[in-house]
Amino acid sequence: IRSLLPPANCALIVIARERLPISELKEVHVHCLSIDSATSLLLKLAPRTARHAAEIAELCGGLPLALVVFAGMVNEQSLTSVEELLVAFKRDLNIGAVRSAFKTSFKMLTRSLRSRWTLLALFKGDFQLSAAAAAWQLDEETARICLQKLINTNLVQFDAKRERFSLHDLVRQFCEQHQDGTAARIARLHLAWFYVNISQFAGALVSKG
């Protein structure tokens, strides 16, 4: 980070979950949302939580990511009552608010979608639809449907302007821990072949000028 420090007339913002022992930086601790703010956010994201919003906000510890994931699950699981989702969430709370939200959402996915979601942790940065389709060994239209379901539950982020997908780093850690080793090895091989093809295509374009 020190090598990235800009001249005095510029600013650099570094976001981290751990303290950084760099004297040139001024440390500002960003607190979690207050219960009132967290409740307001939850009601805005998922109005169906109205009766339990304050309790959910407290269980999530005011962590925005946990609130967003829980809200996505409530919106996606429209046939499941908020009470049932809350029970499932509480059951997983011993692993922490954010991971509990992931775990509860994870259980709500179909088995095939669980596997596909965890395989997205193979991407260390953002990725395009065709790359996800290659990792999953699916056609692009089917991959698009799967990604849409994961976006609806806020388990995958989508940058509409760049048409690229990504995982929050905490989501990626969770997915890495729940990957099937064999499936991950196979997906890596398909991804490698996918990028080899892109490289060959790019090389052909360069040779044509």
Side-chain angles (χ1 to χ4, degrees):
I1 291 171
R2 188 172 276 113
S3 66
L4 299 174
L5 293 176
N9 63 334
C10 299
L12 171 70
I13 297 176
V14 181
I15 301 172
R17 286 193 298 278
E18 298 177 7
R19 297 189 65 178
L20 301 173
I22 300 176
S23 58
E24 294 92 335
L25 297 181
K26 177 184 177 182
E27 186 177 281
V28 177
H29 183 70
V30 181
H31 296 277
C32 294
L33 297 176
S34 68
I35 297 304
D36 286 345
S37 296
T39 302
S40 297
L41 175 61
L42 192 58
L43 287 172
K44 183 179 178 181
L45 295 172
R48 197 159 70 94
T49 61
R51 284 178 53 210
H52 304 280
E55 183 184 2
I56 295 166
E58 197 156 344
L59 289 171
C60 287
L63 294 164
L65 183 58
L67 292 163
V68 167
V69 171
F70 191 88
M73 181 170 51
V74 168
N75 293 332
E76 178 73 7
Q77 302 292 328
S78 58
L79 298 181
T80 306
S81 70
V82 175
E83 288 81 2
E84 289 177 83
L85 295 173
L86 191 51
V87 168
F89 182 74
K90 287 177 178 177
R91 251 196 322 261
D92 296 320
L93 257 185
N94 61 325
I95 58 175
V98 174
R99 287 178 56 78
S100 174
F102 297 160
K103 188 73 174 177
T104 310
S105 293
F106 181 76
K107 291 175 180 176
M108 295 290 170
L109 300 175
T110 63
R111 183 170 295 184
S112 60
L113 198 54
R114 286 181 202 171
S115 175
R116 288 167 189 160
W117 179 47
T118 59
L119 288 176
L120 294 179
L122 295 174
F123 298 103
K124 301 308 177 188
D126 56 19
F127 54 93
Q128 72 268 44
L129 171 64
S130 53
W136 291 341
Q137 303 164 62
L138 297 174
D139 61 87
E140 287 195 17
E141 190 50 43
T142 306
R144 190 193 312 276
I145 292 169
C146 292
L147 283 167
Q148 184 64 64
K149 290 177 180 176
L150 294 171
I151 289 169
N152 291 347
T153 49
N154 293 302
L155 296 174
V156 170
Q157 298 168 334
F158 179 57
D159 183 336
K161 190 175 289 185
R162 297 171 59 236
E163 295 189 351
R164 293 182 72 83
F165 305 86
S166 62
L167 298 182
H168 187 283
D169 56 350
L170 291 176
V171 174
R172 186 180 299 107
Q173 288 174 15
F174 180 89
C175 287
E176 285 173 343
Q177 292 165 0
H178 289 80
Q179 269 180 3
D180 176 273
T182 302
R185 283 192 294 274
I186 293 170
R188 264 195 207 93
L189 289 172
H190 283 278
L191 270 179
W193 186 241
F194 171 77
Y195 287 118
V196 164
N197 285 334
I198 288 179
S199 177
Q200 290 174 342
F201 179 69
L205 290 178
V206 170
S207 67
K208 292 177 182 177

